[in-house]
């Protein structure tokens, strides 16, 4: 019987050498070691062997089984490895191929311009504050010295959201909110945000963006306003920029001014046919002035203090206007159409 076991096992070991697939390896294992395999079949005859020879046969059978299992296992590992390496070879990835570029977005020109302006004023110590876009009619108008029925209301065609509630027509109410919240001075803030007016054409959109500035303290003068705005103009439009102030009227300031910056395209010369300034040499960029004392009163500042030298300046600018000037965009509506061909030109 031991001879029988030996010849089965040796044959199996020889067969193993010519096996080249995992499937036939499994077949061989079942044929020899399986429940009905040749080795098991032989061992079924163990019962008819004299009891004293059984241990030796058992030991020999176990020994062959162990050998065979080890050999099968080794062959299996080999076959698996070679199958894997064939697969790796077939599914080879060429890492030297140029990749397909992922489309990356970029910040909207309005956002880029807003951030740029904030950075300039941050260097002068202005803190960024924001207010709600749905505002009370009171804060949007009365509190910044535009009483009901005042003709100045006509300058800002208003969307009403409900009785006494408007979509803010400018960022000036944030001046009032900040002064009221803080309840004291100094106040030095910059308020960016969306504003709304019933307007719609190539240079006006029903929603646009403003940045409001406010600096309130004892001894703040018009010359400070000029200095701050000149610094801003140079940082944004170029170091040789100049500004000029033209007297103008805004209810929340006295005196008030419209502020122009020298044309960065023709260096302020007003060249015939300059496409940016149309030959005037100047570009209107914002409104500004010295804070009307009525606003301090409306803010609830102590009257005594308010009338003993508390002053301030304020300004308000349109972000779209500045972005359009800087990038020579001719139609405001391009800003809101989400056209990738337009937007992708503003990758930083
Ligand atoms: N709120 C004005 C507007 O929307 C802009 C403005 C002008 C703001 C003069 C100011 C200012 O703070 O002093 O037309």
């Amino acid at each position: 019987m031991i001879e029988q076991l030996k010849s089965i096992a040796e044959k199996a070991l020889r067969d193993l050498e010519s096996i080249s697939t995992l499937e036939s390896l499994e077949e061989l294992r079942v044929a020899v070691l399986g429940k009905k395999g040749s080795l098991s079949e032989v061992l079924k005859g163990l019962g008819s062997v004299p009891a004293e020879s059984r241990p030796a046969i058992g030991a020999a059978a176990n020994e062959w089984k162990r050998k065979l299992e080890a050999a099968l296992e080794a062959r299996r590992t080999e076959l698996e490895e070679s199958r894997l390496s064939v697969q790796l070879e077939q599914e080879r990835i060429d890492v030297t191929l140029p990749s397909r570029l992922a489309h990356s977005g970029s910040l909207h020109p309005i956002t880029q311009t807003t951030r740029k302006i904030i950075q300039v004023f941050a260097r002068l110590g202005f803190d960024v504050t924001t207010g709600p876009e749905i505002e009370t009619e009171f804060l949007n108008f009365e509190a910044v010295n535009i009483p009901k029925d005042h003709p100045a209301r006509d300058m800002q065609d208003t969307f009403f959201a409900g009785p006494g509630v408007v979509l803010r027509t400018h960022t000036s109410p944030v001046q009032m909110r900040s002064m009221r919240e803080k309840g004291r001075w100094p106040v030095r803030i910059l308020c960016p945000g969306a504003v709304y007016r019933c307007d719609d054409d190539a240079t006006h959109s029903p929603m646009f963006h403003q940045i409001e500035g406010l600096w309130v303290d004892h001894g703040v003068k018009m010359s400070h306003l000029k200095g701050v705005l000149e610094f801003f103009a140079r940082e944004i439009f170029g170091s040789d920029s100049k500004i000029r102030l033209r007297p103008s009227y805004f209810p929340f300031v006295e005196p008030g001014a419209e502020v122009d910056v020298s044309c960065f395209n023709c260096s302020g010369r007003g060249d015939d046919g300059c496409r940016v300034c149309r030959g005037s040499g100047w570009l209107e960029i914002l409104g500004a002035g010295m804070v009307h004392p009525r606003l301090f009163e409306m803010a609830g500042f102590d009257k005594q203090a308010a009338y003993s030298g508390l002053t301030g300046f304020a300004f308000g600018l349109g972000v779209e206007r500045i972005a359009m000037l800087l990038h020579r965009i001719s139609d405001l509506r391009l800003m809101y159409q989400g056209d990738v061909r337009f937007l992708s030109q503003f990758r930083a």
Side-chain angles (χ1 to χ4, degrees):
M1 200 175 224
I2 288 185
E3 276 311 307
Q4 242 179 320
L5 289 173
K6 185 177 177 216
S7 84
I8 289 172
E10 280 175 350
K11 177 170 184 304
L13 286 171
R14 274 196 310 279
D15 289 348
L16 196 57
E17 275 164 30
S18 59
I19 270 181
S20 61
T21 66
L22 286 164
E23 291 73 21
S24 43
L25 182 74
E26 179 61 11
E27 273 165 28
L28 177 67
R29 190 189 67 77
V30 174
V32 182
L33 297 174
K35 259 192 204 131
K36 292 183 182 153
S38 44
L39 214 61
S40 317
E41 289 299 324
V42 173
L43 289 176
K44 275 180 192 159
L46 206 58
S48 52
V49 170
E52 63 276 15
S53 344
R54 283 183 205 163
I57 297 172
N62 281 336
E63 180 62 10
W64 283 118
K65 252 190 191 162
R66 204 191 46 71
K67 264 194 189 155
L68 274 173
E69 273 163 3
L72 283 164
E73 196 47 42
R75 187 76 186 130
R76 178 188 306 283
T77 311
E78 259 172 44
L79 288 174
E80 275 172 356
E81 273 169 10
S82 78
R83 178 180 277 196
L84 187 64
S85 59
V86 166
Q87 195 184 2
L88 284 175
E89 187 57 38
Q90 281 168 350
E91 296 173 10
R92 196 192 192 101
I93 294 166
D94 183 352
V95 290
T96 65
L97 274 179
S99 63
R100 258 173 261 152
L101 273 188
H103 287 292
S104 66
S106 56
L107 292 176
H108 193 279
I110 303 277
T111 308
Q112 286 186 28
T113 308
T114 303
R115 291 193 181 178
K116 219 166 143 180
I117 295 171
I118 288 173
Q119 272 168 12
V120 172
F121 284 100
R123 287 166 60 196
L124 300 174
F126 284 77
D127 290 325
V128 172
T129 327
T130 53
E133 292 171 27
I134 300 175
E135 184 57 280
T136 62
E137 191 181 354
F138 176 79
L139 283 172
N140 193 79
F141 293 121
E142 278 97 322
V144 291
N145 204 28
I146 315 178
K148 278 204 164 71
D149 306 321
H150 192 284
R153 286 213 180 181
D154 289 349
M155 293 177 1
Q156 303 181 354
D157 244 337
T158 312
F159 287 114
F160 281 83
V165 183
V166 301
L167 299 189
R168 66 178 179 194
T169 57
H170 53 178
T171 42
S172 301
V174 190
Q175 288 188 26
M176 191 49 61
R177 286 179 172 274
S178 309
M179 288 195 283
R180 288 184 162 196
E181 255 158 50
K182 197 166 178 193
R184 61 194 157 78
W185 52 90
V187 176
R188 201 189 316 173
I189 50 158
L190 206 63
C191 329
V195 300
Y196 301 84
R197 290 185 203 176
C198 293
D199 273 334
D200 202 4
D201 60 48
T203 51
H204 296 91
S205 139
M207 188 276 300
F208 59 104
H209 298 80
Q210 289 191 334
I211 298 179
E212 191 86 11
L214 175 71
W215 188 340
V216 173
D217 202 353
H218 283 281
V220 173
K221 299 186 184 79
M222 193 104 183
S223 50
H224 296 127
L225 171 63
K226 269 190 83 173
V228 164
L229 292 180
E230 198 164 70
F231 176 74
F232 158 73
R234 287 186 181 154
E235 291 296 309
I236 297 292
F237 294 102
S239 56
D240 53 355
S241 298
K242 293 182 182 50
I243 59 163
R244 80 175 177 190
L245 275 63
R246 283 179 290 110
S248 185
Y249 174 70
F250 298 100
F252 21 89
V253 286
E254 182 58 37
E258 263 165 38
V259 181
D260 301 338
V261 61
S262 54
C263 178
F264 55 86
N265 190 45
C266 64
S267 305
R269 286 187 306 271
D271 289 351
D272 234 15
C274 171
R275 277 169 37 248
V276 176
C277 68
R278 301 220 165 75
S280 77
W282 294 97
L283 305 164
E284 188 188 323
I285 51 164
L286 54 88
M290 299 306 291
V291 179
H292 197 294
R294 179 106 184 91
L295 267 72
F296 296 143
E297 240 176 81
M298 282 291 196
F301 282 176
D302 177 56
K303 257 199 180 145
Q304 195 62 33
Y307 292 106
S308 63
L310 185 69
T311 51
F313 68 69
F315 58 86
L317 59 85
V319 181
E320 278 80 353
R321 164 117 181 109
I322 295 196
M324 285 172 77
L325 285 171
L326 284 176
H327 300 293
R328 309 193 189 182
I329 299 163
S330 54
D331 192 330
L332 175 65
R333 288 168 289 203
L334 285 166
M335 298 276 200
Y336 310 114
Q337 286 164 347
D339 189 327
V340 179
R341 292 168 302 179
F342 171 76
L343 294 173
S344 61
Q345 297 174 53
F346 300 95
R347 290 235 171 81

